[in-house]
Amino acid sequence: GAVVSQHPSWVICKSGTSVKIECRSLDFQATTMFWYRQFPKQSLMLMATSNEGSKATYEQGVEKDKFLINHASLTLSTLTVTSAHPEDSSFYICSARVDNEQFFGPGTRLTVL
Amino acid sequence: LAKTTQPISMDSYEGQEVNITCSHNNIATNDYITWYQQFPSQGPRFIIQGYKTKVTNEVASLFIPADRKSSTLSLPRVSLSDTAVYYCLVVVNGQNFVFGPGTRLSVLP
């Protein structure tokens, strides 16, 4: 199956700083990628849909100015958590769609101190 | 969007067959049913996908009745390493992969 990678795997940052997470499709091109957030013991929550060459579509309740998404190429989407706070600590997962299947990255654990 | 309902948790023993049923009463004509497995601190992993009747691959089978309002994931002879959370999703026209709460399967020795 298609492979999606994320970088970094985990990151610890101070409150008020910004953190960028990269999502790459390694062996295919992805015009659409998705960003999810998952809190402990909870399900994945879709944050936004990232479209190559255009603005991302955010789910209701997700602040677009806080979670900046850039999908500048067919193999890379980035999520920047701006002015991070402890409540932003979570597991962030990206995915890319191929036909009716969705392939997920390994996730990025963000801890904001 | 089609909403899914699954049992919150299930227990099983090694070597047993496990069946997890998902309800999706308002599934639409073009929707597919997809199951994912997730281990702690990892991204979900695709298990199986189907549209109707029965689909089988090397790890699982998926049974979908004619009305498609439910589906059952069948895991044959589970092992300890199958302990994970299993999610049932209804995929709408290849978009809108919305996750429900999932089923936490615990396989006991």
Side-chain angles (χ1 to χ4, degrees), chain A residues 32 34 36 38 41-46 49 91 93 97 99-107 109, chain B residues 32 34 36 38 41-44 46 49 87 89 91 93-102 104:
Chain A
T32 303
F34 303 88
Y36 292 83
Q38 186 176 33
K41 303 287 188 182
Q42 295 187 23
S43 183
L44 285 77
M45 291 178 50
L46 180 64
T49 301
F91 192 52
I93 307 171
R97 178 171 61 88
D99 296 329
N100 280 321
E101 286 191 43
Q102 199 173 34
F103 297 92
F104 289 84
R109 172 80 56 194
Chain B
Y32 279 77
T34 309
Y36 287 86
Q38 186 182 29
S41 297
Q42 294 187 25
F46 174 87
Q49 183 181 73
Y87 294 98
L89 280 76
V91 180
N93 291 323
Q95 307 278 351
N96 300 320
F97 289 72
V98 179
F99 283 78
R104 189 172 298 275

Side-chain angles (χ1 to χ4, degrees), chain B residues 27-109:
Chain B
I27 189 170
T29 303
N30 295 325
D31 297 348
Y32 279 77
I33 300 154
T34 309
W35 286 80
Y36 287 86
Q37 175 193 56
Q38 186 182 29
F39 296 112
S41 297
Q42 294 187 25
R45 185 174 72 101
F46 174 87
I47 300 176
I48 198 166
Q49 183 181 73
Y51 183 78
K52 62 179 178 180
T53 61
K54 177 183 175 181
V55 179
T56 297
N57 62 22
E58 61 275 11
V59 297
S61 294
L62 179 60
F63 299 92
I64 305 169
D67 65 5
R68 303 200 327 122
K69 292 185 182 299
S70 67
S71 61
T72 299
L73 173 72
S74 181
L75 304 173
R77 296 181 297 280
V78 295
S79 63
L80 296 177
S81 61
D82 292 318
T83 294
V85 179
Y86 292 82
Y87 294 98
C88 162
L89 280 76
V90 173
V91 180
V92 181
N93 291 323
Q95 307 278 351
N96 300 320
F97 289 72
V98 179
F99 283 78
T103 297
R104 189 172 298 275
L105 173 65
S106 296
V107 180
L108 307 173

